[in-house]
Amino acid sequence: GAVVSQHPSWVICKSGTSVKIECRSLDFQATTMFWYRQFPKQSLMLMATSNEGSKATYEQGVEKDKFLINHASLTLSTLTVTSAHPEDSSFYICSARAGERGGLYEQYFGPGTRLTVT
Amino acid sequence: SQKIEQNSEALNIQEGKTATLTCNYTNYSPAYLQWYRQDPGRGPVFLLLIRENEKEKRKERLKVTFDTTLKQSLFHITASQPADSATYLCALVATGGFKTIFGAGTRLFVKA
């Protein structure tokens, strides 16, 4: 099956610093990648959608200047949390779509990145 | 408003029994609905997808039903095992939509 990797799997950073999270589709080309965040015992909340080579589309309430997304290639998307604060501590998960097959979009998830801001 | 609701209470069942999880939605017209498994500290893993014009889908011990009149999907795990213990997420993509929207998930515990 399709594999999506994320790096790092966990990171601890100090308040005010920036953190970059990488998401890669290992054995397929991802036309679209999604970034989610998840708080304990809560649903996955979509933050933004990105297509290769174009600007990301952010969900309402998500600060695009704080959460910078770059979808540089069909296999790589990065999320940079700028000037991180403790309230940004969360579980960040990326997802990649392989494109339409028979009218359906198959979507695969990375293992997630646990961010802790101290 | 649009909602996807899953039972927030954990489901505890005995090994060997059938687990049934419920997903209800309002104010959506799903093109298709998906079920995922999520283990603690991990990303979701895709299990099954069912289209709006399908009533039932099976995969090994898993079965999903989809009732667009009731606006409900049921997810069944037969002959459940302790290894099936996890959180199960319901997700849908609306007709003409693009984004996948998730429910909060139901935690399943299977006791040996």
Side-chain angles (χ1 to χ4, degrees):
Chain A
V3 178
V4 176
S5 70
Q6 273 184 250
H7 178 80
S9 56
W10 60 270
V11 57
I12 301 172
C13 70
K14 292 186 177 180
S15 187
T17 61
S18 294
V19 173
K20 179 184 284 189
I21 303 170
E22 288 188 352
C23 176
R24 292 180 185 274
S25 56
L26 298 185
D27 51 1
F28 68 100
Q29 292 187 326
T31 54
T32 305
M33 286 187 171
F34 304 87
W35 286 94
Y36 295 82
R37 66 186 297 181
Q38 187 178 34
F39 293 105
K41 297 184 180 180
Q42 293 189 22
S43 179
L44 280 76
M45 299 301 299
L46 180 64
M47 299 174 66
T49 304
S50 70
N51 292 295
E52 183 263 340
S54 61
K55 291 184 179 180
T57 301
Y58 290 81
E59 293 300 299
Q60 191 174 8
V62 178
E63 299 176 56
K64 62 180 181 180
D65 294 331
K66 181 168 186 60
F67 298 99
L68 300 178
I69 292 172
N70 182 19
H71 194 158
S73 73
L74 285 172
T75 59
L76 173 64
S77 176
T78 60
L79 167 68
T80 302
V81 183
T82 62
S83 187
H85 288 98
E87 57 265 31
D88 298 323
S89 299
S90 187
F91 192 52
Y92 292 87
I93 308 172
C94 75
S95 176
R97 264 194 186 146
E100 186 172 358
R101 298 187 198 177
L104 302 174
Y105 292 90
E106 298 180 9
Q107 188 168 344
Y108 305 95
F109 286 82
T113 297
R114 173 72 59 191
L115 170 63
T116 302
V117 184
T118 61
Chain B
S1 61
Q2 295 176 319
K3 287 183 183 178
I4 301 174
E5 294 181 323
Q6 295 184 255
N7 194 339
S8 59
E9 292 184 11
L11 178 63
N12 292 281
I13 65 168
Q14 198 67 36
E15 182 177 12
K17 301 294 185 183
T18 295
T20 299
L21 287 72
T22 304
C23 174
N24 295 296
Y25 59 91
T26 54
N27 296 322
Y28 277 112
S29 295
Y32 54 95
L33 189 146
Q34 304 167 80
W35 283 87
Y36 289 81
R37 168 183 174 142
Q38 187 175 24
D39 291 287
R42 306 293 296 173
V45 174
F46 172 78
L47 297 176
L48 280 170
L49 180 151
I50 186 165
R51 303 182 194 218
E52 61 175 337
N53 59 352
E54 296 177 318
K55 296 294 184 185
E56 182 178 297
K57 207 70 159 304
R58 291 175 184 261
K59 179 182 176 182
E60 298 174 349
R61 295 185 296 112
L62 309 179
K63 184 178 83 171
V64 172
T65 62
F66 195 10
D67 189 328
T68 55
T69 301
L70 291 178
K71 297 185 184 301
Q72 181 181 80
S73 175
L74 299 178
F75 177 76
H76 306 272
I77 304 175
T78 59
S80 59
Q81 305 166 0
D84 295 327
S85 298
T87 296
Y88 291 86
L89 305 170
C90 163
L92 61 82
V93 176
T95 302
F98 185 70
K99 297 180 287 190
T100 302
I101 307 299
F102 284 84
T106 298
R107 189 82 170 91
L108 172 67
F109 292 97
V110 181
K111 302 176 191 175

